[in-house]
Amino acid sequence: MICPATTPPSFGLLLRQVRDGLVRQLDASMAEEDLGIGFTHYIGLKVLSNMAPCTANELAQAIDQVPSAVTRLLDKLEALGCVRREPHAQDRRALQIVLTDEGRALWARLKLRGDAVMDYALRDLSTDERSQLLSLLTRIRDSLTTP
């Protein structure tokens, strides 16, 4: 949904439109992998590439998803051979999620796709404008973070 050029969009609507456009572009690019995965899998692998091994609850908090959604995400990633669930070293009741070599390789491919989508989205901005945009968005994000 694009607002008419005569009416500037609200800040919130504009952010939503940008996010939705990025997700659409990334989903289209990831479809070329022919694995039946989407944006949530991309985010899950991205977070796991930085914090694995971790528990499913830790992953759910990191990606702001309910545990049941993370269970479905992990089921798909496990079926693809990207993650393993192993007994937690300190908590007998918990499992930890481990990223496999296949998972790291898939993440490397998806990261290239994500980088290409970001470059495409920012293609009309100069290097200075990109830096300024990131700086402004970071300041807004930080102002919304409760101490």
Side-chain angles (χ1 to χ4, degrees):
M1 175 171 101
I2 305 292
C3 292
T6 58
T7 307
S10 70
F11 176 69
L13 178 59
L14 185 58
L15 286 179
R16 181 60 189 240
Q17 290 170 335
V18 169
R19 180 217 181 262
D20 291 350
L22 290 171
V23 169
R24 275 192 308 276
Q25 291 289 322
L26 186 57
D27 278 344
S29 178
M30 288 179 15
E32 295 172 10
E33 295 281 336
D34 200 28
L35 297 173
I37 59 175
F39 181 72
T40 303
H41 301 95
Y42 175 90
I43 296 298
L45 281 170
K46 180 177 185 170
V47 170
L48 286 169
S49 74
N50 290 315
M51 68 183 285
C54 64
T55 67
N57 282 337
E58 291 167 337
L59 178 60
Q61 288 177 340
I63 65 173
D64 196 26
Q65 292 286 320
V66 295
S68 60
V70 169
T71 297
R72 289 188 300 275
L73 165 76
L74 292 173
D75 287 346
K76 178 66 174 184
L77 293 178
E78 189 172 40
L80 292 171
C82 295
V83 299
R84 280 191 320 271
R85 293 172 168 117
E86 297 180 348
H88 194 283
Q90 287 81 35
D91 185 350
R92 292 183 310 146
R93 301 166 295 158
L95 294 174
Q96 62 184 10
I97 310 306
V98 176
L99 196 60
T100 64
D101 290 341
E102 293 89 348
R104 281 187 280 284
L106 177 58
W107 169 242
R109 293 194 315 269
L110 295 182
K111 183 179 182 320
L112 291 175
R113 292 181 179 280
D115 292 346
V117 166
M118 293 301 154
D119 286 342
Y120 178 77
L122 297 170
R123 70 190 179 281
D124 292 335
L125 300 181
S126 69
T127 302
D128 287 344
E129 289 171 326
R130 289 179 184 205
S131 294
Q132 183 179 20
L133 177 61
L134 290 176
S135 174
L136 293 170
L137 289 173
T138 300
R139 285 174 50 198
I140 292 167
R141 181 207 58 204
D142 292 349
S143 74
L144 296 171
T145 304
T146 54

